[in-house]
Amino acid sequence: MSKKIATIEEIFESENLDANAIVVTGIPERHIEAVKAIAKLFVATDYHNSTFKPDFTDYSQDKFSAVADMGSPSGVGFSCHDSDRWFSPSAVGSRLVSESRETAKMIFNEYQDLYKAFMVYDREVK
């Protein structure tokens, strides 16, 4: 069952961590904020699915992940299109799946800025 909606800072504090202390090195500067955003989403997804352990060997266990309408590269129109149910084998990783459609959508809507930070990329072409 999903917990109360909390800020990313509150979620990290619940694990005695600081959401603003994430350090990423060894990758191009243009990807650092995306990696920080997805790390925060991993922790938020764990928080809101604290009693759910996805079992990718259990074909009868449903797993839900938000599906976004991407809009333009600037993120205009970026929104949760739906959530989709996945079966094993899965097209999504276990870190961002939820036990219910409602929880997957809530996580996307509440932390949309983080999804946008890691999903929307206006790649420079040389």
Side-chain angles (χ1 to χ4, degrees):
M1 189 68 168
S2 183
K3 293 182 179 180
K4 75 171 185 72
I5 295 171
T7 67
I8 291 300
E9 290 75 21
E10 291 169 333
I11 293 169
F12 269 69
E13 286 172 9
S14 75
E15 294 197 33
N16 297 316
L17 298 169
D18 180 356
N20 297 310
I22 298 171
V23 176
V24 178
T25 61
I27 65 171
E29 181 73 27
R30 66 187 175 274
H31 296 301
I32 289 175
E33 292 307 313
V35 172
K36 287 180 180 180
I38 200 160
K40 290 175 182 179
L41 281 170
F42 293 156
V43 176
T45 300
D46 285 348
Y47 174 84
H48 289 290
N49 291 281
S50 62
T51 62
F52 175 59
K53 182 174 182 174
D55 179 353
F56 286 89
T57 65
D58 182 354
Y59 289 84
S60 67
Q61 181 191 58
D62 292 336
K63 299 146 192 82
F64 295 85
S65 180
V67 177
D69 274 337
M70 293 302 290
S72 70
S74 67
V76 175
F78 184 79
S79 62
C80 185
H81 171 72
D82 197 1
S83 63
D84 209 346
R85 180 176 63 173
W86 302 93
F87 301 95
S88 296
S90 177
V92 298
S94 61
R95 292 185 192 272
L96 294 178
V97 297
S98 293
E99 185 172 23
S100 72
R101 179 182 311 273
E102 296 75 26
T103 301
K105 284 179 142 181
M106 182 278 301
I107 292 168
F108 183 94
N109 290 328
E110 288 301 316
Y111 312 109
Q112 188 175 120
D113 58 329
L114 297 175
Y115 274 93
K116 190 184 230 183
F118 96 86
M119 293 178 77
V120 178
Y121 177 46
D122 191 8
R123 181 177 292 121
E124 294 293 324
V125 179
K126 297 177 183 179

